[in-house]
Structure formats: structure tokens, C-alpha cells
Amino acid sequence: MLDLIWLILFLGGILVGALTGKIELVTGTFFSGANEGVKVCLDLIGLMTLWLGMLEIAKQSGLITFIARCMRPLTGILFPGVPPEHPALGAIIMNISANILGLGNAATPFGLKAMEELQKINPDPSTASDAMCTFLALNTSCLTLIPATIIGVRVAAGSSNPTEIVAPTIIATGLSMVIIIIIDILWRTLLRPWYRRFKRC
Amino acid sequence: MLELILAKISNWAIPVLFCVFLLLGWARRLPVYETFIQGAAEGFQIAVRIIPYLVAMFVAIKVFRVSGAMDMLARLCAPVLGILGAPPEVLPLALMRPLSGSSALGIATELVKTYGPDSFIGRLASVMQGTTDTTFFVLTIYFGSVGIKKYRHALALGLIADLTGLLLSIFLCNLIFK
């Protein structure tokens, strides 16, 4: 599926560019796009280093394990494949909390740490585990209490009530998070076993 | 009032969190400075490991947008959105949101400025921006950082999440702001 989307983006872009006479623009975009990708990574280096340092202190002082233990009833349902008190769970909870509070800068380092920990207990290192899929589903559908960036945009544009969009955002993100959790659990427990049996027949 | 408190939380959260980490480490008699360095050492490798994934995604997405293919797709999909009760102007935002955070924010900012933050389009664009996530970006760097190549059902779940978020924001905006 990823292959297909990537091919459509790449080939579709080149084709449309060629047909509409924008091929020089496309050529230029290859280089600027590649540069942009590296620039995002460069921005991430400092942030990652700072947060991973802080996270190590939190981990060695036992805070991460403590948080993981408190959330066990919830993580037990969502991540049945991850042993209780595994450091991955602590990092996952920190990532989701950062997302809920709208702290994008903090969320990424926690998330990457969580992936690293989940990879340690992944039986096939080139394929995503169930826990990874659940984690990323939570991450992308996450409840947002403070859409800080867009409130800033609205303030700058002179809105008479810049925060009026907060309530619908909270309702929409909360609902979509619940829906995604249900779909993920249904897929793991019911639909996938059926699908596999069907394929074997 | 509640919104003011929420805005304060996001400013205070990180300094408070750092204080908690440091004080707790100190109370547990950890060598805090050494421990920080030990953890921080991994930061560079993790960040650099995701470069190939980022470049692959950014180039493909930018080419698709700059060539005008994105606008073409938007024009094709516009009637579907009309049925759901969303003006066609927000479609480029809906299509761009899962692919690229910065481009989507650019589009949302433009919509808010052009149509006014208190117009229906401005409000809908704001809610959409806050509701959906850059699924491809997140998947690319999270999986890339540990070298996962087969995403299994993660991509489908992420895209369903974006679609649900999109539909819910259209529905709620029509309910509240119309």
C-alpha cells in the first residue's frame, strides 16, 4: 500500500508536470524536497538529544516504570503483547500525554524512544508488530486539548474569538481516538482471525 | 476561562516536567549530569537514521504538489465534499494534511487569512487542522527510526483516523457554526 501511494505521488507529479509544461519546476523540486527532508532531520537532532537525556534521568529514577504501572489497566487492553512494566509503555504514555497537551516538540522524541523499545521485543525486525500499529494509531488519532498552532494563526488573523474552535476540536479528536481504538481491537481479535481462516480455505 | 488555563498548561508543561525529572533524579542520588549525557548520546543516531525516509517522502509529496497534480485531484474530489457539507475551498487542506504538516499549516493559514478567521471556511479549516494528523510523516519517521519496512495495518488505521477526523470536523462545524 505504501509502495502504491509513493508511486502515485512520484509518477503522478512528474506526469502532470510534463503535461502542463512545468517540468523545470518539477526538476527543481527534487532538489529542494530532498533538502527539506534533511532540514527536518537537522531540526530534530538538538531536540532529540535534549529529550533523550531528560528521559534517561526519568527512566533511571524509576519514574517511567511508575507511570507505566499506574496505567497498566489501560495498556493491558491496548498492548497485550507488551510485558507489564516494560519501558516501552512508559514512553508511549509520555508520547500520548504530550500529544494531548499539544506539545509537538516533546511528542516526537518520546515516540521515537517508544518505537526503539517496542522494536526490542519485536520478533521480526523488518515488520511492524501489533503493538507498534496500535501505538501509531493512537498517535495519529490522538485527542487534542490545545490546538496551540492554529489558535496562534487565528489570533494573528484578527479573529474575534480565536479559541471557539477548541470545543469542536476536542470532541472530534476524542471521538476519532475512541473509534480507532475500537477498530484496532476488532481487527486484532475478530476480523483478522476470520480473514486468515478465509484465506486458508 | 478554561481555554486560558489550557493555554497556560502548554507553556508550563515542559519546564515543570524538566523540574520533576531533575528533582526526582537528584532525590534518588543519580549522577544526573552523567545520566543525561548517557541518554542524550543516542539522539544524533536516531535523528540521522530517518534521513532516507524523510527525503523519500518529502520529494514525492513536493513533486505532487508543485506539479499541480494535487490541485487536479482536489478538483476531482470536490463534488464528494460538497455532499458532506464542506465548501470545496478546504479540499486541498484535507488532502495535504496526512502528507505534510508544514504544507497543510500553510494552506490552513492562507484559508483563515483569505476568508477571515470567523467565516465558516476559516473555522472549518481551523478545526480540520487541529483534528487530523500528518499520518505519513509520523509513520515514515517512527518506522524509519527503527528500520521497519512493512507497515502492516498501521497505514490503514492512520488513514481511517484521518478520514474520521475530517468527517467529524465537517459534521461538527456544520452543527455549531452554521
Side-chain angles (χ1 to χ4, degrees):
Chain A
M1 190 167 172
L2 186 70
D3 267 347
L4 189 69
I5 293 172
W6 197 62
L7 276 175
I8 290 174
L9 289 176
F10 233 110
L11 297 179
I14 294 173
L15 187 72
V16 173
L19 291 176
T20 53
K22 284 191 199 153
I23 203 74
E24 312 107 50
L25 216 63
V26 169
T27 310
T29 306
F30 288 141
F31 303 115
S32 63
N35 257 332
E36 224 171 276
V38 176
K39 225 173 275 162
V40 169
C41 164
L42 287 181
D43 288 341
L44 202 63
I45 292 178
L47 211 64
M48 271 310 283
T49 307
L50 173 66
W51 273 105
L52 286 180
M54 284 294 175
L55 205 58
E56 188 67 28
I57 296 176
K59 193 174 133 194
Q60 293 205 15
S61 61
L63 183 66
I64 303 287
T65 324
F66 175 74
I67 296 171
R69 204 177 300 153
C70 293
M71 300 295 284
R72 187 61 205 162
L74 204 63
T75 52
I77 301 168
L78 292 171
F79 304 99
V82 182
E85 295 187 25
H86 192 274
L89 294 175
I92 288 172
I93 292 160
M94 303 289 271
N95 169 272
I96 302 295
S97 314
N99 266 322
I100 290 176
L101 294 178
L103 308 171
N105 286 346
T108 308
F110 286 140
L112 293 180
K113 188 72 190 167
M115 290 304 282
E116 201 188 344
E117 295 291 345
L118 286 176
Q119 181 72 325
K120 286 180 190 160
I121 47 171
N122 185 4
D124 177 0
S126 70
T127 306
S129 64
D130 273 355
M132 288 175 177
C133 294
T134 306
F135 169 48
L136 286 175
L138 287 180
N139 188 303
T140 52
S141 68
C142 194
L143 171 70
T144 306
L145 289 184
I146 311 159
T149 325
I150 198 72
I151 293 177
V153 169
R154 292 172 61 79
V155 170
S159 169
S160 63
N161 187 1
T163 50
E164 67 182 347
I165 50 103
V166 172
T169 305
I170 292 176
I171 301 170
T173 50
L175 269 178
S176 73
M177 193 175 194
V178 171
I179 292 172
I180 275 301
I181 290 173
I182 294 171
I183 293 178
D184 179 48
I185 292 177
L186 274 182
W187 168 250
R188 269 188 286 139
T189 55
L190 278 176
L191 299 173
R192 188 168 55 190
W194 280 349
Y195 175 71
R196 284 197 178 142
R197 217 172 302 152
F198 177 74
K199 248 176 48 179
R200 231 175 286 142
C201 288
Chain B
M1 187 59 203
L2 180 74
E3 282 140 6
L4 218 93
I5 296 170
L6 289 177
K8 276 267 182 292
I9 291 178
S10 73
N11 286 333
W12 278 84
I14 292 177
V16 169
L17 205 59
F18 280 180
C19 278
V20 171
F21 286 3
L22 291 172
L23 288 173
L24 203 69
W26 186 50
R28 289 286 174 96
R29 295 176 200 286
L30 281 181
V32 275
Y33 181 73
E34 242 172 79
T35 313
F36 178 91
I37 300 294
Q38 188 191 329
E42 292 174 71
F44 185 75
Q45 281 90 339
I46 293 185
V48 170
R49 224 181 295 154
I50 60 179
I51 288 185
Y53 301 88
L54 282 173
V55 170
M57 269 298 153
F58 270 73
V59 171
I61 290 166
K62 255 196 124 175
V63 164
F64 195 71
R65 195 166 43 102
V66 169
S67 66
M70 177 59 85
D71 293 333
M72 240 178 223
L73 187 64
R75 240 170 288 146
L76 278 174
C77 300
V80 184
L81 220 64
I83 298 170
L84 300 169
E89 287 86 346
V90 299
L91 198 76
L93 175 60
L95 291 176
M96 193 44 94
R97 193 68 181 101
L99 297 174
S100 158
S102 53
S103 316
L105 184 62
I107 298 173
T109 310
E110 228 171 83
L111 286 172
V112 168
K113 276 194 188 141
T114 316
Y115 297 95
D118 302 325
S119 66
F120 184 68
I121 293 178
R123 286 162 166 169
L124 179 58
S126 309
V127 176
M128 277 166 58
Q129 175 71 23
T131 302
T132 46
D133 204 340
T134 49
T135 302
F136 278 89
F137 179 78
V138 170
L139 258 61
T140 304
I141 66 170
Y142 280 30
F143 280 140
S145 72
V146 288
I148 296 247
K149 282 159 203 93
K150 293 193 193 105
Y151 291 9
R152 285 174 67 226
H153 51 288
L155 188 59
L157 283 175
L159 291 178
I160 294 173
D162 279 329
L163 193 65
T164 335
L166 174 68
L167 294 178
L168 282 171
S169 35
I170 295 174
F171 174 71
L172 287 169
C173 280
N174 271 302
L175 201 70
I176 301 172
F177 298 130
K178 246 204 171 137

